[in-house]
Amino acid sequence: MSPEKAAKDAAAKAQQDAAEAQPDGAESGDSVAEAGHAAHTGQPWWRVMCLTGLDYFSTLGYQPGIAALAAGLLSPIATIVLVLVTLLGALPVYRRVAQESPRGEGSIAMLERLLSFWKGKLFVLALLGFAATDFIITITLSAADASAHLVENPHLTGALGGKQMLITLILVALLGAVFLKGFSEAIGLAVGLVGVYLALNVVVVAVGIWKIIQAPHVVTDWSNALTTQHGNIFVMIGVALVVFPKLALGMSGFETGVAVMPHIKGDAGDTEANPVGRIRGTRKLLTTAAVIMSTFLIATSFICTLLIPAKEFESGGQANGRALAFLAHEYLGGAFGSVYDLSTIAILWFAGASAMAGMLNLLPRYLPRYGMAPHWARAVRPMVIVLTIVGFLITWLFDANVDAQGGAYATGVLVLISSAAIAVTIAAYKKRQRGWTIAFGIIAAVFLYTTVVNTMERPDGVKIGACFIAGIILVSLLSRLKRAFELRVTDVQLDETAERFIRDYAHRPLRLIANEPTNRDVAEYRDKIRQIRADNDIPGEDDLVFVEVTVRDASDFESELTVHGEVLHNRYRVLTLESSSIPNAIAALALTVRDRTGQRPHLYFEWTEGHPFAQFLRFILFGQGEVAPVTREVLREAEPDRTKRPRVHVG
């Protein structure tokens, strides 16, 4: 089986898997990322903003309550600090990320390009662990808060009281069912949900501000209590700076905002290499969403702190996890409150869909390409099932508690934003943009501080992130070991000289000598030929061609081969190529020669000195090791028919 045929067979299998596992509206054979985008390309930026807004804006369902618990009377001031960090820090960072990564890969792809070999792969896997923490906790926390709104509704408390865990699991299962069935109308539904939800919040905020205007003493009482508790404005600001990391959930939508870039309609002149219109649209999306959310965060934090008794924010209180819903019921009546609850439940549940889409877009971009996931990881439905099961586990571990999951969620968000800040700092430095380098460096320091503080006070995020990282790395390495002997070459291209070499052997077997070049002088090739002929009884009149493989990055899994032919010292024919693995490259070349000439080539190797297990590790980690038996095994898997398989000789 040639590399071309192997690639076609793999594509056919992937097409069959995708046909069984794709969302509605996607063409048969689409990958997860492509399937997720196929039905939504060419949308105006403001509509796509509603898709990312499912994640971002839905945090209003629980953010004011979490802020009140974390900062108490200082909640409005801490929220203002959060808004400043958002508008002056996270927003500029992600506007730059959109420019540097216009296909939705995000900051992870930017950092991947800066690092090579295994350190780059392991670093990406660690970031994927935190991304998984962010997205999975988005699903479970949003479902838990949706169930809290349902259970705490005055009309339903009697019937649903004590069943929050069951309701949360049902919501997570329903989310998985939606993706298993298909997800082709996400943006249209997102526009409706976000529009209604924001409109209802405008009403609640307006009524809350009106109530404060009618009872100005609440402002005086709050101000006096602040002064009594903290002394002066400078102490308040200092405490707010310490406390605001606990409010980091309010920045949760930026990574999703970049992930949905491929949905945005660009200009007519956009190219894949330079999608100017898409980048501009994404920047509008990020800026508009940040301004809307910042306005709501300040307003809701202010009215909730002044109008809701502190005890109601605590566990078991009526405002715990649903502060704005509490105000809606309190001041606008049960009917409006129930409508608000329903809208909040819908957007919170659908926020999980935004996170699920982010996971389905992110993981298949990396793990299968690294050889660290089976082929089915590129298909939608198997990944949905895996993610849903993980969601069940997280919900059970945290007992469907919103407050308990806040630390893990904030950690995932902050690690991703910190990595983005570091990535754009490095990008600006490499382009010698001194001003931006300093600015982004300061922003990165702020987010690193925020991440450290949040981690020290709420280590749950690091613990669950570490579990995701350990799980991803373990599964990835096991998958890499299992797939080690696959023919990992997607295509073989021959230059003109290499084509001529192979054409000369259309009517006789080609004998290829695997050579590890040292000085590449006459003596090296002369002695090598003499040794190979003696070890294998090759007649003197038979021509021999050398094959020399240079390993570039052994951590890569799949690669394309470009074979160059050259004549050294006016007599020795040499085929040179670069690959991530010597055995896979030689096997792919041999199969290509067979298919081009109709002749089964002969491959000649020497045994390598050393312990077999150590040689196997060298192959896995560095693409070298004991080349002869591994090449034979790769050929055996790629071509089951022994009568068609290239011959391997070892002396």
Side-chain angles (χ1 to χ4, degrees), residues 328-400:
H329 282 277
E330 184 75 14
Y331 295 116
L332 293 164
F336 182 90
S338 294
V339 171
Y340 185 87
D341 278 336
L342 182 62
S343 173
T344 305
I345 291 166
I347 195 171
L348 282 168
W349 175 73
F350 217 58
S354 174
M356 181 77 82
M359 289 282 285
L360 294 175
N361 177 57
L362 191 63
L363 292 181
R365 286 182 181 272
Y366 296 99
L367 297 185
R369 180 161 57 86
Y370 291 175
M372 293 181 170
H375 287 297
W376 58 258
R378 286 189 171 100
V380 174
R381 285 173 180 158
M383 283 294 291
V384 169
I385 292 172
V386 171
L387 295 176
T388 302
I389 292 172
V390 174
F392 287 161
L393 178 62
I394 297 299
T395 298
W396 174 72
L397 288 175
F398 283 98
D399 197 28

Side-chain angles (χ1 to χ4, degrees), residues 254-288:
F254 284 100
E255 197 71 28
T256 310
V258 173
V260 299
M261 279 189 73
H263 294 285
I264 297 174
K265 182 179 181 179
D267 295 339
D270 278 6
T271 63
E272 190 63 25
N274 190 27
V276 178
R278 185 195 299 169
I279 294 171
R280 185 174 61 252
T282 304
R283 287 179 161 183
K284 290 180 181 178
L285 178 157
L286 293 169
T287 304
T288 305

Side-chain angles (χ1 to χ4, degrees), residues 40-51 187 191 263-266 281-282 285:
H40 311 304
T41 52
Q43 295 283 350
W45 67 266
W46 60 269
R47 287 176 62 86
V48 181
M49 182 188 72
C50 293
L51 186 60
I187 290 183
V191 171
H263 294 285
I264 297 174
K265 182 179 181 179
T282 304
L285 178 157

